[in-house]
Amino acid sequence: MCHLQLRTLVFAAWVLGYVVFLLSIRRMWTGKYVRSPLVRSLFSNMVSEGDAAAADTEEVRKIGDRRCAKLHGHTLFPDRTDSFHSWYRCCPDLLGESLRPLFVQSHLDSDTRAFLKQSVEKSGWMFTQLYHSFVSTVLSPLVSRTSINGYLGRGSMFVFSASQLQQILRIEPEWRAQRLLDLGAGDGGVTEVMGAHFNEVYATEVSPPMRWHLQRRNYKVLDIDEWQQTGFHYDVISCLNLLDRCNDPMFLLREIKRSLVPNTGRLILAAVLPFQPYVEVGGQWQRPSEHLKIKGKTWEEQVTSMSDEVFSRAGFEVEAVTRLPYLCEGDMYNDYYMLDDAVFVLKASETSEEAAQ
């Protein structure tokens, strides 16, 4: 009995020490220290739609902007617009010649603002974030981060809003088709945006907790080796931020092409740039067996490389492309997380290069 009480006391002391440690190193909820001051300031400006001096962008983005300005004979002045708008910035003249007329300019809209606002609010829930941090620390040696997020109901993603999807697909809000397949759908948050346009929604997901979330949304969840063998085709297949986490990306692209409705089927593909592929094996990250070599340093150069050297090999051609932020709900350290996305709409090319492979 005494031994059990001692173990309980030690465990309670460890939990208390863990909480004190997190509070002391972050000091995020005191009046004296404000967490993520830059993010808080930018978010406040975004909500109020007031003007503010923009934060410094990444060095690569600076280079691209200067090159774009030189091409047009302009002088690049400090940006007085809100920094969030730099997430959508592209210089079409730096894209390949065939891609320039296909670029679709996206903008910060109300749905994106709402997601950011919700993320900022959630990141300030002290006890919830402490609980999430504790559970993640305990489970991380045993369970993937995706599954941990599924258990906790956190880490929702945002790729595009309904209006942004309609813009890049060139469809009206009332447009409907028969079947959608969302590969690697996560908790189904992004699937829901697309699913409004389809009579049947299918999804794949490896993580058991995420599969449970998808089933709760009444989506038809397929195994990762089952979706190609259903006996029917899909009007749209989405592959969002999956290509850089796939062990055999070219095989995946060709399987997608075979599964689309001939002629009218479309692939919506999002890729994080710069392209840095890794796959999770046994809880560890390693290089995929097939490594796609994406050339270029700027967003525009890598988009062109993907179109010319990846999609064409798989038998696709680009119908539209846009630049969007890939957003994820934050935690006790950050209000949200953002990666740079290129979102493509692809169709089967009339002169496929597959025969040449």
Side-chain angles (χ1 to χ4, degrees):
M1 188 68 176
C2 292
H3 181 66
L4 178 61
Q5 291 176 342
L6 179 61
R7 290 178 60 185
T8 302
L9 183 62
V10 170
F11 178 76
W14 182 84
V15 171
L16 180 61
Y18 180 79
V19 171
V20 172
F21 171 74
L22 291 177
L23 288 174
S24 63
I25 63 172
R26 299 311 304 175
R27 298 179 296 184
M28 62 176 64
W29 289 286
T30 66
K32 184 177 179 180
Y33 299 98
V34 181
R35 179 166 57 103
S36 304
L38 176 60
V39 172
R40 294 289 187 187
S41 175
L42 292 175
F43 182 77
S44 177
N45 290 338
M46 181 195 71
V47 173
S48 64
E49 297 184 356
D51 291 333
D56 291 336
T57 56
E58 301 171 68
E59 188 62 27
V60 168
R61 190 172 298 170
K62 288 181 180 178
I63 295 172
D65 289 344
R66 291 191 183 109
R67 289 175 63 186
C68 185
K70 287 181 179 179
L71 283 172
H72 292 286
H74 296 157
T75 301
L76 189 65
F77 294 101
D79 186 6
R80 292 287 299 175
T81 61
D82 193 277
S83 239
F84 289 93
H85 296 293
S86 66
W87 292 348
Y88 306 90
R89 187 176 301 146
C90 169
C91 182
D93 287 333
L94 297 180
L95 294 171
E97 186 176 352
S98 62
L99 287 179
R100 292 170 195 169
L102 305 179
F103 178 74
V104 177
Q105 181 64 61
S106 296
H107 303 277
L108 180 70
D109 62 9
S110 58
D111 287 351
T112 311
R113 293 173 188 267
F115 180 86
L116 290 169
K117 181 179 180 181
Q118 182 183 54
S119 297
V120 171
E121 291 174 350
K122 282 187 176 182
S123 68
W125 297 349
M126 179 178 69
F127 293 107
T128 298
Q129 296 300 338
L130 286 172
Y131 169 70
H132 287 173
S133 180
F134 172 74
V135 172
S136 296
T137 302
V138 172
L139 295 182
S140 57
L142 308 172
V143 184
S144 70
R145 181 167 296 277
T146 300
S147 291
I148 292 173
N149 288 339
Y151 286 126
L152 296 173
R154 73 167 191 180
S156 292
M157 306 292 185
F158 187 97
V159 179
F160 41 64
S161 66
S163 61
Q164 289 167 344
L165 172 68
Q166 292 159 16
Q167 182 185 31
I168 192 173
L169 273 179
R170 300 186 178 97
I171 58 175
E172 298 297 325
E174 302 79 17
W175 181 85
R176 293 188 71 85
Q178 186 61 26
R179 297 186 187 95
L180 165 72
L181 170 65
D182 189 11
L183 298 173
D187 64 0
V190 183
T191 315
E192 186 176 11
V193 175
M194 300 181 287
H197 294 284
F198 297 88
N199 297 326
E200 301 174 22
V201 178
Y202 297 83
T204 70
E205 178 55 56
V206 175
S207 167
M210 291 301 187
R211 289 172 63 92
W212 178 76
H213 283 292
L214 292 168
Q215 290 167 346
R216 286 185 61 198
R217 294 175 181 264
N218 294 321
Y219 300 143
K220 300 176 178 66
V221 182
L222 304 176
D223 291 334
I224 58 174
D225 57 356
E226 179 187 4
W227 58 271
Q228 317 96 314
Q229 304 169 7
T230 57
F232 53 77
H233 293 85
Y234 305 93
D235 296 279
V236 171
I237 296 179
S238 60
C239 179
L240 306 179
N241 304 300
L242 185 61
L243 207 63
D244 59 348
R245 296 295 176 260
C246 176
N247 196 50
D248 194 351
M250 290 303 298
F251 176 78
L252 173 63
L253 287 173
R254 291 178 178 131
E255 287 294 290
I256 290 174
K257 181 173 180 286
R258 295 188 186 101
S259 302
L260 287 169
V261 173
N263 301 320
T264 61
R266 294 294 183 268
L267 166 61
I268 305 174
L269 186 143
V272 173
L273 299 180
F275 194 78
Q276 297 175 333
Y278 287 93
V279 293
E280 188 176 11
V281 179
Q284 295 185 345
W285 293 99
Q286 57 185 257
R287 289 284 186 177
S289 59
E290 181 183 28
H291 179 63
L292 298 180
K293 296 181 179 179
I294 309 299
K295 300 177 182 177
K297 295 182 179 180
T298 67
W299 184 89
E300 292 86 352
E301 290 169 346
Q302 292 212 354
V303 164
T304 302
S305 178
M306 290 193 74
S307 174
D308 295 344
E309 301 172 31
V310 177
F311 301 148
S312 61
R313 285 175 52 205
F316 284 105
E317 62 182 80
V318 178
E319 191 171 71
V321 60
T322 190
R323 184 174 190 165
L324 290 170
Y326 176 30
L327 300 169
C328 176
E329 286 182 344
D331 50 26
M332 63 188 302
Y333 305 106
N334 292 284
D335 292 315
Y336 55 83
Y337 292 92
M338 191 280 289
L339 294 171
D340 231 346
D341 247 0
V343 181
F344 301 86
V345 176
L346 305 176
K347 63 180 180 180
S349 58
E350 297 179 2
T351 55
S352 173
E353 295 186 16
E354 284 184 282
Q357 302 303 314

